[in-house]
Amino acid sequence: MEDFVVYILYSETFNKNYTGFTSNLIERFKSHNHPGTKGYTVKFRPWMVIYVEFFYSKAEAMKREKYLKTTTVIIISLNLETDCYCCVTIPW
């Protein structure tokens, strides 16, 4: 069975977030940071993964991605030395 991942990326350089979903987080993350890739994320490189959730179905992952994209997401840094972050969502 294929798992799906909803993820949030963060660009520290530009203080931007990007939310997406995929069935292959490693390859998707590489594509967000790869020079040949086109799209929204190209102009805000480099990205780091700060949040992930796993789902058994694509429909569940898409629903969660949509929710996160329509919700205010506040990122709070917990430890600057280890780059560990906590992601908190607050409904509109």
Side-chain angles (χ1 to χ4, degrees), residues 12-79:
E12 191 171 35
T13 305
F14 296 96
N15 194 31
K16 293 278 187 188
N17 296 327
Y18 177 82
T19 303
F21 84 95
T22 184
S23 61
N24 188 333
L25 183 61
I26 302 296
E27 289 304 314
R28 188 68 180 123
F29 178 67
K30 286 179 187 176
S31 75
H32 282 300
N33 282 304
H34 188 271
T37 306
K38 296 180 182 177
Y40 173 81
T41 59
V42 72
K43 56 188 169 222
F44 302 113
R45 291 181 185 134
W47 293 97
M48 65 177 123
V49 177
I50 60 165
Y51 183 77
V52 295
E53 283 184 67
F54 295 89
F55 297 88
Y56 291 114
S57 76
K58 184 176 180 178
E60 289 176 314
M62 290 174 71
K63 183 177 177 182
R64 182 62 170 162
E65 177 198 29
K66 184 176 181 179
Y67 173 78
L68 290 174
K69 284 184 172 183
T70 59
T71 301
T72 302
V73 177
I74 299 173
I75 299 171
I76 302 166
S77 175
L78 294 178
N79 186 331

